[in-house]
Amino acid sequence: MLKKRIIVCLDVKDGRTTKGVKFKENKDIGDPVEMAEEYYKQGVDELVFYDIMASAAGRGPILNLISRVASRIFIPFCVGGGIGSIDDIRDTIASGAEKVSLNSQAVKNPNLIKEGAQIFGKQCIVLGMDAARDSAMPSGYRVFINGGRVATDLDALEWAEKAVELGAGEIVLNSIDADGTKNGYEIPLTRLISEKTNVPVIASGGGGKVEHLAEVLTEGKASAALIASMVHSKEYTVGGIKTELNALGIPVRL
């Protein structure tokens, strides 16, 4: 049985780690380099680093910060935010990332997924998708871009299927409704995308207790659970979460 992954997300704004609720009211919570090293020591499987203002500000990734994080951790490291060209992907990987997360820029230029997968391999190209409930959409969820600030005409399921067809090797599925609430993941959406695509789906948004992770990894059929608030608040450690999941019969890397 494939082991489920626990991934910590660092949202970065102006070079500092930040945390908000439903993509709003972000507060400074620390230095991303120190925090990355701490979660690596705690046994996290992967780290995701999002520059949440890059696309909205129209700039590329902060390469010096990416290389500083990469020099401290020895696990898969995914970077997103402002990656809008093949050169940006190349520079980000050269700075130490194993994967890039394409979100707003992929919506604006879907061919970036295809070209990126052809040049760097599907395993390097992750679709980052921010979705919120919307009964007007066929799947019941609409895709948003620019850090959740701009609505698109894209249906979440249709966009996920198209991105996989273009070459995305993984999907990080961010629920805007659940983000930072600690009330649990968006199970129906996670299960829908997991069942309808043939790539790993990482559930993001809403993790507040170990039961929430257990639910999304089983009922939601996610390959991995992304967490932030749970560990940023120091209420949990990565190792503690894994021990509890293991006790619940969920296969994790201990």
Side-chain angles (χ1 to χ4, degrees):
M1 197 176 190
L2 274 179
K3 289 197 172 7
K4 301 287 190 179
R5 289 172 289 154
I6 305 303
I7 301 172
V8 169
C9 176
L10 299 177
D11 284 337
V12 176
K13 181 182 178 186
D14 304 324
R16 300 282 294 172
T17 308
T18 182
K19 192 71 198 96
V21 176
K22 299 188 180 182
F23 287 36
K24 295 181 181 131
E25 295 169 19
N26 285 74
K27 295 183 174 67
D28 183 320
I29 56 168
D31 176 67
V33 182
E34 287 171 11
M35 291 174 76
E37 188 171 25
E38 173 58 28
Y39 295 133
Y40 168 64
K41 287 175 181 170
Q42 286 183 19
V44 76
D45 296 310
E46 294 186 25
L47 198 79
V48 173
F49 174 109
Y50 287 133
D51 185 333
I52 61 170
M53 296 304 292
S55 285
R59 60 168 170 73
I62 316 172
L63 300 174
N64 64 333
L65 189 55
I66 293 164
S67 63
R68 283 172 60 215
V69 171
S71 71
R72 303 275 192 100
I73 61 172
F74 304 94
I75 48 173
F77 176 35
C78 179
V79 172
I83 298 171
S85 67
I86 292 299
D87 283 345
D88 286 341
I89 296 175
R90 185 177 284 111
D91 291 346
T92 302
I93 291 170
S95 297
E98 277 78 20
K99 306 177 191 179
V100 294
S101 178
L102 305 177
N103 190 323
S104 305
Q105 302 300 330
V107 169
K108 295 167 189 172
N109 174 21
N111 211 40
L112 186 60
I113 298 173
K114 189 176 181 179
E115 284 181 42
Q118 284 170 345
I119 295 168
F120 304 101
K122 290 184 178 185
Q123 79 288 347
C124 285
I125 306 299
V126 178
L127 175 73
M129 178 163 65
D130 300 328
R133 291 179 213 124
D134 188 334
S135 57
M137 304 309 283
S139 70
Y141 296 88
R142 183 184 294 274
V143 175
F144 285 72
I145 59 170
N146 289 4
R149 286 181 287 277
V150 178
T152 73
D153 292 330
L154 293 172
D155 175 74
L157 176 59
E158 284 175 24
W159 175 228
E161 290 176 325
K162 183 180 178 185
V164 170
E165 204 177 295
L166 287 167
E170 197 165 61
I171 297 170
V172 174
L173 180 58
N174 308 303
S175 164
I176 294 173
D177 302 295
D179 177 72
T181 63
K182 295 182 168 183
N183 292 330
Y185 295 87
E186 189 75 18
I187 302 295
L189 176 63
T190 308
R191 186 168 53 236
L192 178 69
I193 304 287
S194 296
E195 286 177 343
K196 298 287 187 183
T197 60
N198 61 353
V199 299
V201 173
I202 299 162
S204 170
K209 52 187 183 180
V210 173
E211 289 76 11
H212 294 153
L213 278 76
E215 184 185 26
V216 83
L217 293 169
T218 54
E219 288 177 43
K221 300 190 175 178
S223 297
L226 188 144
I227 53 174
S229 305
M230 282 176 78
V231 286
H232 294 344
S233 65
K234 299 195 167 49
E235 204 176 331
Y236 290 90
T237 63
V238 175
I241 290 168
K242 286 186 170 188
T243 300
E244 286 191 51
L245 286 172
N246 187 57
L248 292 169
I250 293 168
V252 289
R253 291 188 190 92
L254 291 170

